Amino acid sequence: MQKLVIHGGSKLQGEISISGAKNAALPLLCASLLTADTFAIHNTPRLKDVTTMLALLEQIGVRILTNDAGTAELSAAGITNPTASYDMVKTMRAAILVLGPLLARTGQAHISLPGGCAIGMRPVDQHIKGLQAMGAEISIEQGYIRAQAGRLSGARIVMDLVTVTGTENLMMAATLASGTTVLENAAREPEVIDLANCLISMGAKIEGAGSDVITIEGVDRLHGCSHTVMPDRIETGTFLTAAAACGGDITLTRARADTLDVVLGKLAETGAEIDTGADWIHLHMPQRPQAVSLRTAPYPAFPTDMQAQFMALNSIADGTAVMTETIFENRFMHVQELKRLNADIQVEGNTAIVHGIPLLDGASVMATDLRASACLIIAGLVAQGETVVDRIYHLDRGYEQIEQKLAKAGAKIWRTS
Ligand code: EPU
């Protein structure tokens, strides 16, 4: 099994280029199922989750051509198998995103029910409830969601809670429904807007993406399009937090500051000096960071996907931070690993109290999920001595060449088997 070895103590300096967003690319690839025409997605990140999604789409019957420049050309003219097997869904929960488009386009879908995962239970009841409101007949049989419908009908759907992939699934399904669908309490994440923009360029009629009410007027058919995946705001935030934690001066290119307002605000509270332009962000950290308290919540509030990275920063910050996780019930698995590096953290329910200490000690640690892996890398970069991060397959699901990008900026980090 591969591991990352990190020798802490270097400052990050120079330029890092940001990849396309994983959480935008995955729903965008599924949108290919909504048309028989050729559909091209550019700036697709080279990630395990993207490879898994492409393999799933191929099993469904989509013909796919990819190139090294990050373009995927997909043609779903012949959908032969509207199924996502347990093997696929257990590898990548985002496989649930084929449910809405398959049902809308073919009238059927047979999707394995995702189980719980390391960070929480993560049910998909809101996806199912929304599709039922649009007229789908759905049953759960032998661990599979069996969904059938004639043409879906527009409906007013008030979601019980804010769900990102739930909003994306229902928005995709509604594009081909008859009549108007109104999604209330919709997710406002930038990835939802990116998907809506792609659907609109396929001929969909969507208004309100980016607000909590999205209105979709169904059309008879969608056509092909060419769309570029937005930059990854969580990758961007991860490198910025790393630079703020270990001191440094970095410029991130192909980055979008407007998707990171709250994260940039928190980094400024730590003492980092930040400048932004249309497609770049520069961060200079002149001092030991100040501790910052935060509470995760749906966009535009502080993202749960940045909580673990900020915990690594708070571990060595000046002061005490109170960090509350409100999205996932079990997203503090990295705390035990940070403690192995000597971090001083107490967890009470969904709140972690982090007392910053001047320096962590390197140790062997184990990654438990994608963002926990990023947290442990940041901790390794600021720890004295050697840190070895095990189970980095989580990392390869969502960060493109992270160790190469960090090494280019001066970090002492490499991969071993
Ligand atoms: N939820 C329900 N019922 C549903 C759907 C969600 O109870 O039908 C709950 C979840 O259990 C969770 C909360 O609602 O407690 C929010 O979950 P959401 O559905 O928004 O999460 P998701 O769509 O499964 C996406 C990202 C996650 C990110 C979350 C929250 C993708 C592919 N995944 O997941 O990304 O943490 O939104 O922002 O977009 C990651 O990249 O590391 C990652 C986990």
Side-chain angles (χ1 to χ4, degrees):
M1 211 181 288
Q2 294 194 322
K3 301 174 186 189
L4 283 180
V5 180
I6 306 165
H7 287 183
S10 307
K11 289 186 189 304
L12 292 184
Q13 257 151 8
E15 230 177 71
I16 298 179
S17 168
I18 297 302
S19 300
K22 168 180 81 82
N23 290 346
L26 297 174
L28 285 166
L29 291 169
C30 295
S32 67
L33 294 167
L34 291 164
T35 177
D37 296 349
T38 302
F39 173 93
I41 293 289
H42 311 288
N43 199 30
T44 313
R46 273 161 292 174
L47 300 172
K48 184 75 180 65
D49 273 8
V50 167
T51 315
T52 306
M53 185 60 88
L54 290 172
L56 168 60
L57 292 170
E58 234 161 19
Q59 282 181 8
I60 289 171
V62 181
R63 283 189 292 114
I64 302 172
L65 282 176
T66 55
N67 70 17
D68 289 344
T71 294
E73 244 183 49
L74 301 98
S75 165
I79 294 176
T80 47
N81 180 27
T83 301
S85 68
Y86 179 57
D87 280 347
M88 280 294 174
V89 180
K90 77 170 192 237
T91 317
M92 183 190 61
R93 299 177 57 85
I96 191 73
L97 283 164
V98 299
L99 173 61
L102 277 178
L103 193 58
R105 172 94 185 285
T106 69
Q108 49 180 322
H110 186 210
I111 312 295
S112 171
L113 202 56
C117 80
I119 60 176
M121 299 270 286
R122 306 183 74 180
V124 290
D125 55 305
Q126 299 302 307
H127 305 230
I128 293 174
K129 193 178 106 173
L131 292 170
Q132 282 171 330
M134 295 169 78
E137 278 177 27
I138 299 185
S139 58
I140 308 294
E141 288 168 30
Q142 296 170 324
Y144 276 74
I145 303 167
R146 280 187 184 277
Q148 282 196 339
R151 187 173 183 193
L152 293 169
S153 315
R156 174 169 171 253
I157 299 165
V158 185
M159 282 177 273
D160 295 348
L161 45 79
V162 178
T163 156
V164 179
T165 50
T167 301
E168 291 165 345
N169 235 337
L170 297 178
M171 183 167 73
M172 287 192 278
T175 57
L176 290 178
S178 67
T180 302
T181 299
V182 181
L183 299 178
E184 294 190 25
N185 200 20
R188 292 179 281 169
E189 267 67 3
E191 292 77 12
V192 174
I193 304 179
D194 205 26
L195 175 64
N197 287 341
C198 173
L199 294 169
I200 290 168
S201 65
M202 296 169 77
K205 294 191 177 155
I206 301 175
E207 277 177 14
S211 78
D212 60 359
V213 181
I214 305 179
T215 306
I216 306 116
E217 201 186 311
V219 295
D220 290 340
R221 68 177 292 275
L222 294 175
H223 50 73
C225 79
S226 170
H227 184 85
T228 300
V229 180
M230 65 175 281
D232 196 313
R233 66 192 165 99
I234 305 300
E235 186 198 19
T236 310
T238 300
F239 288 130
L240 292 172
T241 309
C246 57
D249 199 291
I250 58 163
T251 302
L252 303 183
T253 56
R254 304 176 71 190
R256 262 184 60 186
D258 64 318
T259 60
L260 279 157
D261 286 339
V262 170
V263 171
L264 295 181
K266 286 289 167 192
L267 287 167
E269 277 181 45
T270 70
E273 295 161 0
I274 299 168
D275 293 310
T276 61
D279 62 353
W280 56 267
I281 304 174
H282 173 254
L283 180 143
H284 171 65
M285 188 55 159
Q287 60 185 55
R288 179 181 174 199
Q290 293 291 321
V292 280
S293 294
L294 56 89
R295 182 184 182 84
T296 67
Y299 193 87
F302 191 91
T304 175
D305 291 344
M306 284 299 305
Q307 177 257 108
Q309 300 88 319
F310 264 70
M311 196 175 293
L313 176 144
N314 278 328
S315 299
I316 51 91
D318 186 7
T320 296
V322 179
M323 303 181 66
T324 305
E325 170 60 52
T326 75
I327 305 289
F328 293 112
E329 61 275 23
N330 195 25
R331 213 173 196 184
F332 280 150
M333 303 270 279
H334 41 282
V335 170
Q336 284 309 324
E337 302 304 305
L338 286 173
K339 283 185 171 180
R340 290 179 52 73
L341 305 182
N342 241 355
D344 182 355
I345 305 171
Q346 278 105 48
V347 175
E348 289 170 17
N350 68 344
T351 298
I353 297 156
V354 188
H355 300 284
I357 57 169
L359 207 54
L360 297 174
D361 282 333
S364 290
V365 287
M366 198 152 3
T368 47
D369 74 73
L370 173 57
R371 308 304 171 187
S373 317
C375 154
L376 296 175
I377 291 179
I378 296 173
L381 291 173
V382 294
Q384 60 182 349
E386 182 175 281
T387 297
V388 179
V389 185
D390 205 343
R391 300 211 177 155
I392 55 165
Y393 50 83
H394 293 293
L395 201 67
D396 295 331
R397 294 185 53 184
Y399 286 94
E400 186 175 70
Q401 300 187 323
I402 189 166
E403 75 273 22
Q404 286 99 319
K405 290 187 183 188
L406 286 169
K408 194 174 152 250
K412 296 195 174 65
I413 179 169
W414 62 93
R415 195 177 279 248
T416 61
S417 293

